[in-house]
Amino acid sequence: MERTTGRALRADAERSVRAILEAAERVLAADPAASLEQVATAAGVARTTVHRRFANRQALLDALADSAARQLAQAVGDGRPETAPPLVAIHRITANVLQVKGAWTFALQLPPETGSEAAALHADVHRACLALLARAREDGLLDPGADLEWTSRVYYALIGESLREAGEPDALAARVVETLLHGAGKRD
Amino acid sequence: MERTTGRALRADAERSVRAILEAAERVLAADPAASLEQVATAAGVARTTVHRRFANRQALLDALADSAARQLAQAVGDGRPETAPPLVAIHRITANVLQVKGAWTFALQLPPETGSEAAALHADVHRACLALLARAREDGLLDPGADLEWTSRVYYALIGESLREAGEPDALAARVVETLLHGAGKRD
DNA sequence: ATTACATGCAACAGGAATGTTCCAGTTACT
DNA sequence: AGTAACTGGAACATTCCTGTTGCATGTAAT
């Protein structure tokens, strides 16, 4: 987490940083132009505390993006994309990602700074996703002619759409996977 | 278009308003927090001209949303959603909408003011889309069990995804329709 | 040709947000 | 218990943006 010197932060400082990041996600999701004063109030700290922990507004946004990207990468990794059977992995990852994205919607759509940890993590996640879709195609889950780049973007878009409503992650994930594989056309 | 009194605007004023709206779309798409000064510069007019034509920043955004919504409604109407065969209409509308949304991406994702012209037009467009999908389901194009609310959101999401790359509208539309109907799964 | 409309420039006032500083009091770690 | 770290409040300076005004000049409609 955020450090000032070589030593780790005190526990209360860790709590403040976490509270600030969580408040930033909520407040900025509602209004991306919200002030640092509003974020501080929502976090239950003084604005000087926000400035103490984050050099400036951009640094706070960067920390938000990095933190959320770490959680996304963790969610994808927990779905064992490289080893579980493709359909199982896709379903599990979808449910995991829905939860993380639901909690960090704003943070995860921030364009990551070039060279940042968030950018690297997002690239890793995308690579893992493409590899999983390639395995799915090899296993006959996807059409042999499926364009994986387009398919991965459709997959992300379906996840994004599912976030717009409340629901049980597994049920929402099932619908995402069903739609990804079969669309809305007539079932044979 | 924007009026000051009962008489229509002079031709040069009409041109200014159009230039401002087009510049606003470009500049605000790149940076939603861009200043009115930046929009004015991009439009090739003075900031006082922007203030003369739009009472305030929100009025400019409202005008942008209304204008773009009218063009979207026109694009959907041109696809004859009520009378053309469903597959033809869906394809035609998709290509038309891709073009309009490509040109007014920012304006079309502005949340319209409650009671505004844009809000009414967006509601009309959504109703027309649902009716078209219902006809498609009746004709056997969609699965009898297809949830039309979800299907329409998937459809919009696929259009949104297609906007992220350059391409010929008809080819992009074909892919949207193909994905909407059949997903990425194995073709039988 | 005339007249009304359109525009740009410069200046002004006000408001909001950001980043910084200082210090007293509180908390947590050893 | 002692000490270092953490925090909040208040104030300050700066910057940027918005909205407004007045006036001279240019443009377009009749």
Side-chain angles (χ1 to χ4, degrees):
Chain A
M1 194 69 84
E2 206 71 18
R3 292 186 184 322
T4 49
T5 66
R7 71 167 283 178
L9 293 181
R10 257 168 50 170
D12 53 353
E14 289 269 2
R15 282 198 298 278
S16 291
V17 168
R18 211 173 350 265
I20 292 166
L21 291 177
E22 287 170 9
E25 164 65 32
R26 289 195 309 279
V27 170
L28 295 174
D31 174 13
S35 67
L36 295 185
E37 179 70 46
Q38 290 175 275
V39 172
T41 301
V45 300
R47 186 166 67 86
T48 36
T49 300
V50 175
H51 283 291
R52 189 170 289 116
R53 298 297 159 203
F54 301 97
N56 52 44
R57 185 185 181 94
Q58 186 60 54
L60 171 59
L61 293 175
D62 289 345
L64 198 52
D66 286 349
S67 174
R70 279 195 291 270
Q71 297 185 62
L72 179 71
Q74 187 63 50
V76 169
D78 287 349
R80 298 158 187 268
E82 296 175 359
T83 52
L87 187 54
V88 171
I90 292 177
H91 189 283
R92 189 182 285 162
I93 286 170
T94 306
N96 290 353
V97 166
L98 280 169
Q99 283 186 296
V100 169
K101 280 203 159 196
W104 299 98
T105 314
F106 173 79
L108 287 170
Q109 56 84 35
L110 284 170
E113 297 279 303
T114 303
S116 70
E117 182 187 357
L121 289 166
H122 279 288
D124 287 346
V125 162
H126 185 51
R127 260 195 295 282
C129 175
L130 286 179
L132 175 55
L133 291 176
R135 280 179 60 219
R137 192 169 60 181
E138 280 163 31
D139 279 16
L141 207 56
L142 297 186
D143 191 80
D147 173 347
L148 297 187
E149 196 50 52
W150 168 246
T151 303
S152 68
R153 287 165 47 204
V154 169
Y155 175 51
Y156 303 153
L158 293 176
I159 289 176
E161 247 349 276
S162 293
L163 290 169
R164 288 139 151 296
E165 70 193 73
E168 211 273 317
D170 276 325
L172 294 175
R175 187 176 63 176
V176 166
V177 175
E178 170 69 10
T179 306
L180 178 69
L181 297 183
H182 307 297
K186 202 165 190 175
R187 302 296 186 250
D188 294 314
Chain B
M1 192 68 85
E2 206 73 18
R3 294 191 183 317
T4 50
T5 66
R7 73 166 284 177
L9 292 182
R10 257 169 47 174
D12 53 351
E14 289 268 2
R15 281 197 299 279
S16 291
V17 168
R18 211 172 353 263
I20 293 166
L21 290 177
E22 288 170 6
E25 164 65 31
R26 289 195 309 279
V27 171
L28 296 173
D31 175 11
S35 66
L36 295 184
E37 178 70 46
Q38 290 175 274
V39 172
T41 301
V45 300
R47 186 166 67 87
T48 36
T49 301
V50 176
H51 283 291
R52 189 169 287 116
R53 297 296 156 206
F54 302 97
N56 51 45
R57 185 184 181 95
Q58 186 59 54
L60 171 60
L61 293 175
D62 290 345
L64 198 52
D66 286 348
S67 173
R70 281 194 291 269
Q71 296 184 63
L72 178 70
Q74 186 64 49
V76 170
D78 287 348
R80 304 173 184 245
E82 296 174 1
T83 51
L87 187 54
V88 172
I90 292 177
H91 188 282
R92 189 182 285 163
I93 285 170
T94 306
N96 291 353
V97 166
L98 280 168
Q99 283 186 292
V100 170
K101 280 202 158 194
W104 299 98
T105 314
F106 174 80
L108 287 169
Q109 56 85 38
L110 284 169
E113 297 277 304
T114 304
S116 70
E117 182 187 356
L121 288 165
H122 279 288
D124 289 345
V125 162
H126 185 49
R127 262 196 295 281
C129 177
L130 286 179
L132 175 55
L133 290 177
R135 281 178 58 219
R137 191 169 61 183
E138 280 161 34
D139 280 15
L141 206 55
L142 297 187
D143 190 82
D147 172 348
L148 297 188
E149 195 51 53
W150 168 247
T151 303
S152 68
R153 285 166 50 205
V154 170
Y155 175 52
Y156 303 154
L158 293 177
I159 289 176
E161 245 353 274
S162 293
L163 290 170
R164 289 140 150 291
E165 70 192 72
E168 210 274 320
D170 277 324
L172 294 176
R175 188 176 61 178
V176 166
V177 175
E178 168 70 11
T179 305
L180 179 69
L181 297 183
H182 306 297
K186 203 166 190 173
R187 303 296 186 252
D188 293 315

